[in-house]
Every structure is written in structure tokens, then in C-alpha cells.
Amino acid sequence: MKIVHISAGATSRRNYYHVAVFDHAGATDILVIDGGTSVAERDYLDPVHGDVTWFVHAITAALEQELAPGRGQQESVHAAIGAVGARFEQIAGHSAMPLYAWPIAAMTWIRIDVRDGVQRAALYSLGDCTSLLHTAAGGCIDLDPFVNPQDAVLQAEIAQLRAEGVSDPERRRERMLPMLRARRAFQNTQPGPTVLCLRPNCAFQARVRSVDLEPGTSLLIMTDGFYRLVDPYGCYTDDALVEACLERGLATMLDELRTYEAVSDATGARAVKAADDASAAIWTA
């Protein structure tokens, strides 16, 4: 078994994404976490590294402490969020931190272990990370097909602003900020949360799946920033992306992503940001 991972910010200043790998009690846990870009006017929890980075690393550290034989992924995630929420209360207290400033994150957690002599992967997913299985026969399976309904709302708003002549990403984000803040406040209070948030009001509505891993298979787990090579840029198909990552390595593919974003004038046409943080992990049997 081999695991390779990479994580890099769109700029050198901050990276809101994170990859972590934990080995314990015969299992390997791979976490890919995508922190939601802040829509607040300032940082409240960590003025140096940023509130989103604070949240992403806090949940990773807390989850590592909650991993235990026999404990399910959902139970572990809720225990970790409980610990992070307690730290949040200690730091933020009764400060005037608006709800839209509370950090959120998407996460895909794949646990790999052996049961009855068969190697299996258990997937637990919140948000819009992508998990692709490359089979020994050369096929590619999206383990967690997911369409974020908010994407259509964003695309409609971006199209309207472009029709008004607003093409600069910074001006466009400023115009969209009220909508983005309302959405973030909703995500922090929605019934049945679909992303990691500090105060879930009931169980996380995670997507789960278990698959057998035959010899010769590989897994590519990535954030939406890395997956831009497929959607929206169209540089690769799912299958071609996995094969390129296996043959050329994640660092080379990240360089290709950044080069494309640097030379193309269209990278920000369908997104709030012209470039995004990018993280990915490859597991090979």
C-alpha cells in the first residue's frame, strides 16, 4: 500500500485545504478537507493563519484523537466537532462574531481496512470533494457522484453580472458578497447539515459507501480546486486525470493546473475565484 498527497494554496499566503493520513489498529484513514473561503471582513479566531485554516486543522487534530477500534465514522466526526466547538467557545466567547463568519468545511474521509480477508474502503463524505476509483482493468468509477445545488445559483448570478459588464473577479465577488454571506449563515444553521460546521443541530447528512478494493486498484481523492482540471477547465476526463496523476505524480499535475490558470483568461469565467486552493491524495494497492 502506498499513499501520496499534496496540498497547496492558490497563493503563498494561506491554504484553506488539508490532507491527513492516520494509521491505527489495522486501519488507514485518509482525510481530504476543503475549508470554505471566508466571507467575513476579518478573522476572529486566528488573525495570523485565518479562521478557516484554524478550523481545518482543529478538526483534523480532534478527529485523530477520536479514532478508535469499533467507533464509526459518523460518531467520530460528531465527537471531534464537539471538541472543536468547545475550543471555539473559549476563543470566541460572546464576541460579536457574525454567523456568516463561522468557518465551515467539506470533507471526504476514506477508511481502508481488511475484513474477512478482503480489503475495503469506507467512504464518508460531506460537501463537494471528489473520489475516483481506478480499477485494475483500467476503468474509472466516481465513488461519490454529487452535484452541488448551489453551483447553479452561483452560475446564474455570475452570468447576470457578466451581462451587466462585471467581469473583474474582485468586483464580482463584492457584488455577490451579500448572497454569499446569507448562504454561509444558512449552512451554519441548516437542519441536517451537509458540511462540517461548528454547531450541528442534528446528525450530519453524510454520504456513505463501502467498496471492495481488488489488487491493482487505486484511489484519487481531491478537493474541487484540484478537480478543476476536469470541471470546469475540461483539460481531462475523470479517467484521464487519474491515469495522469498515477503516471506523472501529483506535484506535476498541480504545476499544470497553476500554469493553466496563469495563462488562460477564462479560468474565472464560471467561478467566484479565478484560482482555488488544491489538495489531493492517491492510494495505490
Side-chain angles (χ1 to χ4, degrees):
M1 180 178 67
K2 180 181 178 181
I3 301 173
V4 179
H5 56 85
I6 195 169
S7 184
T11 67
S12 59
R13 191 167 63 93
R14 289 179 176 177
N15 181 9
Y16 296 145
Y17 295 179
H18 189 48
V19 179
V21 178
F22 304 123
D23 289 304
H24 66 100
T28 296
D29 291 304
I30 305 172
L31 304 178
V32 176
I33 305 180
D34 174 349
T37 302
S38 176
V39 294
E41 67 285 351
R42 67 179 181 88
D43 291 304
Y44 293 82
L45 307 172
D46 186 338
V48 176
H49 302 100
D51 292 355
V52 181
T53 302
W54 175 89
F55 182 57
V56 165
H57 286 268
I59 187 63
T60 302
L63 192 53
E64 182 179 13
Q65 297 302 312
E66 298 300 334
L67 300 177
R71 171 174 273 184
Q73 290 167 291
Q74 177 82 310
E75 182 184 357
S76 298
V77 169
H78 275 276
I81 282 292
V84 174
R87 287 183 57 192
F88 168 71
E89 291 293 340
Q90 292 175 352
I91 298 172
H94 298 287
S95 68
M97 185 175 181
L99 193 56
Y100 63 73
W102 291 21
I104 64 168
M107 179 182 74
T108 287
W109 171 9
I110 291 186
R111 168 169 286 175
I112 299 171
D113 60 10
V114 177
R115 305 177 192 176
D116 301 324
V118 178
Q119 198 162 42
R120 292 194 177 103
L123 179 143
Y124 178 100
S125 187
L126 290 164
D128 56 1
C129 296
T130 299
S131 303
L132 301 177
L133 173 69
H134 189 266
T135 68
C140 186
I141 301 170
D142 187 343
L143 294 180
D144 182 33
F146 174 72
V147 177
N148 189 344
Q150 184 66 11
D151 284 346
V153 177
L154 290 175
Q155 293 307 317
E157 184 68 16
I158 290 172
Q160 178 61 38
L161 291 173
R162 291 181 65 192
E164 296 175 16
V166 182
S167 57
D168 178 72
E170 291 299 323
R171 285 188 58 209
R172 185 171 62 201
R173 186 178 185 278
E174 183 179 350
R175 288 280 300 273
M176 296 175 67
L177 201 53
M179 180 186 74
L180 296 174
R181 286 178 170 177
R183 171 65 179 173
R184 186 60 51 81
F186 168 75
Q187 288 174 300
N188 272 302
T189 57
Q190 65 177 314
T194 57
V195 294
L196 291 172
C197 57
L198 284 162
R199 290 181 182 169
N201 50 33
C202 62
F204 287 115
Q205 301 303 297
R207 303 181 301 278
V208 298
R209 181 175 181 178
S210 180
V211 295
D212 292 346
L213 300 173
E214 298 178 354
T217 60
S218 301
L219 290 167
L220 173 62
I221 311 105
M222 73 203 102
T223 61
D224 60 346
F226 195 93
Y227 192 66
R228 283 188 178 202
L229 284 165
V230 175
D231 184 17
Y233 300 160
C235 301
Y236 293 87
T237 62
D238 285 353
D239 191 23
L241 178 63
V242 179
E243 291 185 355
C245 288
L246 289 169
E247 293 174 3
R248 300 166 56 196
L250 293 178
T252 299
M253 298 307 296
L254 180 61
D255 287 343
E256 181 175 324
L257 170 68
R258 297 305 184 213
T259 299
Y260 181 87
E261 291 172 333
V263 301
S264 175
D265 295 328
T267 58
R270 291 185 53 208
V272 178
K273 297 175 288 185
D276 200 0
D277 300 346
S279 296
I282 290 182
W283 174 92
T284 53

